[in-house]
């Protein structure tokens, strides 16, 4: 009785193999005189083209504004971090932004969401279907919105 040998020609597929896994991560972005950011995560798995992150929390200092980002899951590439599952952004100007998915473009310094979002500042509230927030200029561009603006 003979056996067929295993084939050395495996089908080419979209299979990613993890290069590294780390748990209970604390990462700092800094130079010789200042710390610009702190990132915390429960777990990171590094693949060839991206990192898969669990329970992300980040604090970033840009200019004189503190920016806070968090989510249950995140995927990071070189210049883009996509936050999934209860994604939240807030800053020291009391702007709060919640969505199921938030995309942070590090190079362009903006946040966007192509899913439903809720944005509040003080007692004002905006609900919509998609949003782009320019972190440098502090400008918001949103589509299909409803808003509540409270005056005294």
């Amino acid at each position: 009785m003979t056996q067929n040998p295993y084939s050395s020609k495996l089908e080419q597929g979209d299979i990613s193999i993890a290069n590294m896994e780390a748990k209970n991560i604390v990462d700092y972005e800094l130079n010789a005189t200042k710390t610009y950011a702190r990132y915390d995560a429960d777990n990171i798995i590094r693949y060839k083209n991206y990192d898969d992150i669990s329970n992300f929390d980040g604090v970033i200092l840009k200019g004189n504004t503190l920016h806070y980002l968090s989510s249950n899951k995140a995927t990071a590439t070189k210049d883009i971090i996509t936050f999934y599952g209860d994604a939240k952004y807030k800053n020291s100007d009391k702007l709060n932004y919640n969505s199921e998915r938030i995309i942070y473009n590090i190079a362009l310094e903006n946040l966007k969401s192509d899913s439903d979002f809720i944005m509040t500042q003080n007692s004002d509230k905006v609900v919509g279907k998609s949003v782009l927030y320019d972190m440098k200029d502090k400008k918001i561009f949103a589509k299909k919105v409803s808003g509540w603006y409270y005056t005294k």
Side-chain angles (χ1 to χ4, degrees), residues 6-68:
Y6 292 103
S7 174
S8 64
K9 295 180 182 178
L10 297 175
E11 289 184 32
Q12 296 296 322
D14 188 21
I15 298 173
S16 295
I17 298 173
N19 297 330
M20 177 181 69
E21 181 175 9
K23 295 187 181 293
N24 302 318
I25 299 94
V26 178
D27 186 22
Y28 294 92
E29 190 176 326
L30 50 97
N31 66 18
T33 60
K34 192 174 188 180
T35 301
Y36 291 98
R38 177 187 162 127
Y39 308 105
D40 296 281
D42 287 351
N43 191 51
I44 295 178
I45 300 174
R46 170 149 295 162
Y47 295 94
K48 181 179 179 181
N49 297 321
Y50 67 95
D51 294 340
D52 191 24
I53 306 165
S54 298
N55 296 319
F56 178 93
D57 277 306
V59 179
I60 305 160
L61 176 64
K62 298 266 186 198
N64 61 355
T65 306
L66 280 172
H67 305 271
Y68 304 90

Side-chain angles (χ1 to χ4, degrees), residues 49-109:
N49 297 321
Y50 67 95
D51 294 340
D52 191 24
I53 306 165
S54 298
N55 296 319
F56 178 93
D57 277 306
V59 179
I60 305 160
L61 176 64
K62 298 266 186 198
N64 61 355
T65 306
L66 280 172
H67 305 271
Y68 304 90
L69 288 154
S70 67
S71 69
N72 297 338
K73 296 277 183 188
T75 303
T77 60
K78 183 179 177 184
D79 288 327
I80 305 287
I81 303 174
T82 304
F83 301 95
Y84 302 95
D86 198 25
K88 296 178 182 173
Y89 165 80
K90 66 180 181 178
N91 66 25
S92 54
D93 294 328
K94 298 185 180 173
L95 178 71
N96 293 294
Y97 163 28
N98 300 324
S99 182
E100 192 56 33
R101 181 172 117 126
I102 296 175
I103 302 165
Y104 173 38
N105 188 315
I106 298 164
L108 298 177
E109 294 184 36

